[in-house]
Amino acid sequence: MRTHIQFLRGQNKVSLSDFHPTMTVLEYLRSIERSKGTKEGCAEGDCGACTIAIGRVKNGHLVYQPINACIHFVGMLDGCQLLTVEDLHVDGHFHAVQQAMIEHHGSQCGFCTPGIVMALFTMFHAGSKPVTKSEIRDWLAGNLCRCTGYRPIVDAAFEVMQNPANDHFSKHATETVHLLDELNDRMDVFVGDDEHYFASPGDLTCLTDMYKDNPDALLVNGATDIGLWVTKQLRSLPALIHLGRVLELTKIELDTGSVTLGAAVTYADSEKIMAGLDCDLAALWKRIGAKQVRACGTVGGNIANGSPIGDTPPVLIALGAEITLRHGATSRTIPLDEYFIAYGKQDRKPGELLVSIKIPRPQENQHFRCFKITKRFDQDISAVMAGFLIDVSDGVITKARIAFGGMAATPTRAHQTEIALVGARLDAPDSWNAALEKLEQDFTPLSDMRASAEYRSEIAKNLLLKTLIELAGNDQVQTRLTGKRVVGHAAS
Ligand SMILES: Cc1cc2nc3c(=O)[nH]c(=O)nc-3n(C[C@H](O)[C@H](O)[C@H](O)COP(=O)(O)OP(=O)(O)OC[C@H]3O[C@@H](n4cnc5c(N)ncnc54)[C@H](O)[C@@H]3O)c2cc1C
Ligand code: FES
Ligand code: FES
């Protein structure tokens, strides 16, 4: 057992053995280390002013991801490399990303600039080159700039992203991988005392035993929900157990009939696999938070938090997903829709945790669709989220699984609508009416700041209609912003 966390700050090893469990990385940087380059804007993961880069070894390679330091707990840095804007100025020279921002006049007041530079630094180190302006906009969806305007920033990024990454950090990548491998000793970590602690178990048995014995502790996955409980609700969270170092929970298992995500798999790490299941899932994954949120946030956290407006539960319920929960050494598996009992109440007993999510692959006769309805396209929480899985044989609907978020106190199936759809013919729109009417009986939505009850009811019906029009293959109706759904592409 280690009683300190250890991480790389640039190339130097840092050990911390005395910090409050909910100290954020931003607080550590600005108040302890006194590195003030990283800014605080919203303190809730929305604006990107606090973006830093976290380096990790994945499949033997050094990977940099952008992270919101304002909602990331310092204990979660164990085994990572932490880079901030201060690290980019090497041997008296600006980084190529910084130089491009200067040359394209990408900064005015400069408050957003360190965050934008760090987000672009991670893009500079990611994937294949050259990149398109649309990819740059997607990468920067979590970074707001209020005075420069995005055109010069995107122009700067476009210029610098055309060439493969060749900088101080790529030159030292082998050394960094070696240093990070040394830090990742898989030991259980416990920092604090009986009342206040940040624990980070190194394997599943230690995690499940620890949580069973300490059911009042709070499990922390990516902290993209929990971080805000600290910064916005000012809640005191004295005992945290972090899941991110448990290898068993970060695995993705693939077989011919299903995909199984460990409960600590992030949106970023599951993006390609989910895109392979369906192009609507590719589009949805791109619209969950922004890069910074997707680098940390997990499907496990999205389910476990029990929110009625989480994006993934309706979709996974429609697909027929099952979840496995574990209490000590005892596991059980249940259909995901049975997990959500009532608002704020889930089928999870004290000391029990979610370990995996098994998602069946849609079969040949099954048609999947999902739609996210928000006020803003990027980085917004759903007003309504819908998932459809429709079985069709010879043009007749033989079975339907339909689930909605934002329509009730929990993510919920539209049972009456599902029954009414059976027997409907895709080439006879009149036969759809019964099901469209039943949607009103399945749900009594609320009005809130995201949408009125009437809007929610209307949009839910329209989403079902849109699905049926697409399944019927009616090319006369444009159902997508981009024209039509193209299988193999990220639909929108
Ligand atoms: C800027 C921003 C944008 C966002 N955009 C979206 C969005 O577009 N769509 C959306 O759905 N959500 C969004 N969210 C919310 C959040 O990112 C998601 O709900 C995310 O999936 C939470 O996962 P996490 O790993 O960060 O969970 P955490 O914050 O670590 O945990 C959330 C809850 O789940 C519990 N928990 C976590 N893992 C387990 C487990 N294995 N077993 C039992 N309990 C567990 C925790 O104890 C806690 O109660 C956004 C958040 C932010 C800050
Ligand atoms: S301060 Fe706004 S995202 Fe962190
Ligand atoms: S330069 Fe002022 S907010 Fe972006």
Side-chain angles (χ1 to χ4, degrees):
M1 167 95 70
R2 257 197 284 126
T3 53
H4 64 270
I5 60 157
Q6 52 193 29
F7 59 94
L8 287 186
R9 184 73 180 96
Q11 300 300 106
N12 302 318
K13 180 176 161 183
V14 175
S15 297
L16 295 180
S17 54
D18 183 18
F19 55 88
H20 190 274
T22 57
M23 175 189 273
T24 63
V25 176
L26 186 63
E27 209 178 329
Y28 167 74
L29 286 170
R30 292 184 61 90
S31 305
I32 309 287
E33 198 180 277
R34 313 294 285 176
S35 297
K36 305 274 180 98
T38 308
K39 306 298 180 209
E40 180 177 69
C42 62
E44 57 181 290
D46 270 320
C47 76
C50 65
T51 304
I52 53 168
I54 294 289
R56 288 194 187 91
V57 182
K58 293 194 180 183
N59 302 322
H61 298 286
L62 180 62
V63 175
Y64 286 111
Q65 289 180 294
I67 304 273
N68 289 320
C70 65
I71 52 170
H72 205 72
F73 299 130
V74 79
M76 296 165 71
L77 290 179
D78 193 78
C80 300
Q81 184 189 29
L82 165 62
L83 297 179
T84 64
V85 71
E86 285 88 351
D87 297 303
L88 297 202
H89 194 251
V90 179
D91 297 334
H93 296 289
F94 285 122
H95 189 270
V97 167
Q98 293 173 305
Q99 195 58 41
M101 283 283 278
I102 294 168
E103 284 164 16
H104 286 267
H105 305 282
S107 176
Q108 285 190 45
C109 80
F111 197 80
C112 69
T113 310
I116 287 183
V117 163
M118 292 314 291
L120 291 178
F121 168 82
T122 59
M123 187 176 199
F124 187 69
H125 280 272
S128 54
K129 302 280 183 331
V131 299
T132 63
K133 288 197 174 178
S134 145
E135 287 168 312
I136 292 167
R137 284 189 207 101
D138 179 45
W139 204 284
L140 289 179
N143 291 83
L144 301 183
C145 174
R146 278 292 165 265
C147 50
T148 301
Y150 297 101
R151 205 253 316 137
I153 296 170
V154 172
D155 285 351
F158 186 68
E159 182 184 277
V160 77
M161 295 303 162
Q162 299 313 307
N163 301 311
N166 181 16
D167 62 6
H168 170 80
F169 302 92
S170 48
K171 285 185 195 125
H172 288 83
T174 308
E175 178 195 335
T176 308
V177 168
H178 179 66
L179 291 170
L180 288 174
D181 282 344
E182 276 182 3
L183 290 188
N184 280 296
D185 54 13
R186 313 307 326 153
M187 288 180 85
D188 300 324
V189 174
F190 187 93
V191 180
D193 53 37
D194 285 352
E195 289 188 358
H196 295 87
Y197 59 83
F198 185 94
S200 188
D203 68 41
L204 188 57
T205 306
C206 173
L207 168 68
T208 51
D209 286 351
M210 177 183 263
Y211 191 42
K212 181 174 163 235
D213 294 342
N214 300 277
D216 293 334
L218 183 67
L219 295 175
V220 179
N221 219 329
T224 59
D225 283 320
I226 295 176
L228 279 72
W229 302 356
V230 175
T231 59
K232 293 285 133 172
Q233 298 173 5
L234 308 180
R235 276 168 66 175
S236 159
L237 307 173
L240 300 186
I241 303 177
H242 181 223
L243 310 185
R245 290 177 61 249
V246 178
L247 277 185
E248 295 94 321
L249 297 186
T250 58
K251 285 200 177 128
I252 301 180
E253 282 171 30
L254 306 176
D255 67 36
T256 43
S258 63
V259 168
T260 302
L261 303 179
V265 172
T266 62
Y267 293 114
D269 286 346
S270 53
E271 192 172 346
K272 280 208 182 106
I273 299 293
M274 298 309 286
L277 290 184
D278 190 90
C279 62
D280 276 4
L281 290 170
L284 173 63
W285 247 240
K286 273 183 189 294
R287 290 184 57 202
I288 297 177
K291 283 277 173 195
Q292 291 88 332
V293 170
R294 297 198 292 271
C296 305
T298 62
V299 179
N302 204 227
I303 291 171
N305 72 20
S307 165
I309 49 168
D311 282 344
T312 63
V315 168
L316 298 175
I317 289 172
L319 285 166
E322 292 178 335
I323 56 171
T324 297
L325 299 135
R326 188 161 149 175
H327 185 255
T330 312
S331 297
R332 65 188 174 108
T333 298
I334 57 170
L336 176 57
D337 42 345
E338 290 177 15
Y339 176 72
F340 302 101
I341 298 171
Y343 184 75
K345 187 164 182 229
Q346 296 88 42
D347 180 8
R348 185 162 74 85
K349 57 184 175 209
E352 188 175 46
L353 61 98
L354 173 63
V355 289
S356 63
I357 306 118
K358 185 172 177 186
I359 310 161
R361 295 175 190 271
Q363 303 296 299
E364 240 174 60
N365 65 326
Q366 294 184 315
H367 302 268
F368 174 78
R369 294 290 187 277
C370 71
F371 304 105
K372 172 169 175 166
I373 303 298
T374 51
K375 287 187 177 171
R376 287 191 313 256
F377 190 80
D378 286 310
Q379 180 96 306
D380 205 356
I381 305 285
S382 305
V384 174
M385 181 72 223
F388 301 91
L389 188 70
I390 314 272
D391 295 25
V392 179
S393 177
D394 294 331
V396 179
I397 294 177
T398 54
K399 195 173 163 200
R401 281 181 72 90
I402 301 175
F404 281 92
M407 295 290 287
T410 61
T412 308
R413 275 173 75 178
H415 285 292
Q416 302 190 64
T417 312
E418 289 176 356
I419 293 167
L421 265 182
V422 175
R425 296 194 58 86
L426 292 180
D427 62 0
D430 285 352
S431 67
W432 308 346
N433 290 340
L436 289 164
E437 279 161 26
K438 286 287 177 195
L439 252 184
E440 282 185 16
Q441 290 169 29
D442 271 321
F443 298 105
T444 316
L446 294 176
S447 293
D448 64 16
M449 63 184 171
R450 291 201 173 84
S452 66
E454 295 74 27
Y455 176 84
R456 287 189 155 109
S457 294
E458 193 65 29
I459 201 86
K461 264 205 244 177
N462 286 346
L463 293 177
L464 174 57
L465 186 58
K466 171 161 148 156
T467 299
L468 295 170
I469 289 171
E470 286 192 352
L471 264 51
N474 184 344
D475 286 343
Q476 304 305 309
V477 185
Q478 182 179 325
T479 52
R480 304 286 172 139
L481 288 176
T482 46
K484 28 186 209 178
R485 180 182 128 103
V486 184
V487 177
H489 287 75
S492 55

